[in-house]
Amino acid sequence: MESLLAISRDISQLLAEPQFSQLYMDHFTDQAKASPPHKRSIDSHPPTVHRVIKALQHLGISNVSRIYHVPSDYYSWPTYQRALHMTVPSPAHLCKSVVMKNKGWRPEHPGHQYYCVMVQYAHTINTATMIDWVRDLDGEKKVAKKHYNFRLADSEVSLELTGFKKGGVSPFGVITEIPIILCESITSLQPPIFWMGAGDIDYKLAMPVKSFVNATKCMIADISVFVNE
């Protein structure tokens, strides 16, 4: 495992270099165009993954996206092993969609009760910073700070809102539209591509950061802090 970790770090450092980052980006986009998710043989994909793929088609980003099928024991691996398995540039490129709930929100309040936050596995959401950011977003309509209390939504609530179970939550193809916040650190990734849930725990979705931002019209906020690889 130590040798795999060393290999992962060497690859990350190499692909962070501009010339190699661009080569990786070019290869990724060529592969996505040659075999977009909606044109591949997907009969074996779960219905929830089909829903994600249809959403990608609707948004016009299927041809810049790639779907990966991972082993059932994927989540028992350290993040560097997961990255190596999918030829991901670094563990920092592995991200997840989490539904955050404002427990102090009321219907008469501004903003939203729920937000879908795209965050790296190597980071954690700083809820205090998120509270300040959302209050600033609410502007003159913001209410007392005691009404902003962000916590991770229960898995049952997340499933009801998104239609996806834990480990497979995707920002695409959700049952209920939820405002999306992309953690700012993701925008600094090199190469500028990131991986996320694809509707099922055994499937992952990757696409360029710029394509994601343009398609989802997401908000970008500096609300996460680095934890570890």
Side-chain angles (χ1 to χ4, degrees), residues 28-182:
F28 179 92
T29 53
D30 287 345
Q31 290 293 309
K33 289 177 182 177
S35 183
H38 68 278
K39 289 187 177 180
R40 298 180 65 182
S41 177
I42 57 175
D43 292 341
S44 61
H45 289 1
T48 48
V49 177
H50 279 277
R51 200 166 76 230
V52 170
I53 293 173
K54 286 182 179 179
L56 297 176
Q57 279 187 271
H58 177 72
L59 291 168
I61 53 173
S62 180
N63 64 342
V64 295
S65 306
R66 298 187 67 185
I67 297 283
Y68 298 77
H69 188 194
V70 298
S72 58
D73 60 345
Y74 171 85
Y75 278 105
S76 68
W77 302 348
T79 53
Y80 65 82
Q81 187 177 353
R82 300 178 201 174
L84 287 171
H85 179 78
M86 294 188 291
T87 64
V88 177
S90 78
H93 287 71
L94 299 174
C95 303
K96 56 186 174 180
S97 313
V98 296
V99 177
M100 298 295 291
K101 177 181 181 179
N102 180 2
K103 293 189 173 182
W105 187 86
R106 298 292 180 269
E108 64 271 18
H109 292 170
H112 303 270
Q113 185 176 20
Y114 297 98
Y115 291 86
C116 176
V117 181
M118 309 302 299
V119 61
Q120 295 155 281
Y121 274 96
H123 284 230
T124 187
I125 297 170
N126 185 325
T127 54
T129 304
M130 184 174 179
I131 287 171
D132 291 339
W133 186 85
V134 172
R135 289 192 80 227
D136 286 344
L137 186 68
D138 289 344
E140 295 180 357
K141 296 181 180 180
K142 65 185 177 185
V143 292
K145 197 167 185 177
K146 66 180 181 180
H147 294 297
Y148 295 84
N149 179 21
F150 284 101
R151 293 292 183 268
L152 186 67
D154 293 338
S155 57
E156 294 81 5
V157 173
S158 178
L159 175 60
E160 181 181 351
L161 292 171
T162 67
F164 304 123
K165 294 181 180 179
K166 184 179 179 180
V169 179
S170 174
F172 301 103
V174 295
I175 294 174
T176 304
E177 291 298 325
I178 308 170
I180 300 172
I181 300 174
L182 182 77

Side-chain angles (χ1 to χ4, degrees), residues 196-210:
M196 68 201 88
D200 182 90
I201 193 170
D202 293 336
Y203 291 80
K204 305 304 165 194
L205 166 67
M207 70 177 59
V209 176
K210 185 176 180 180

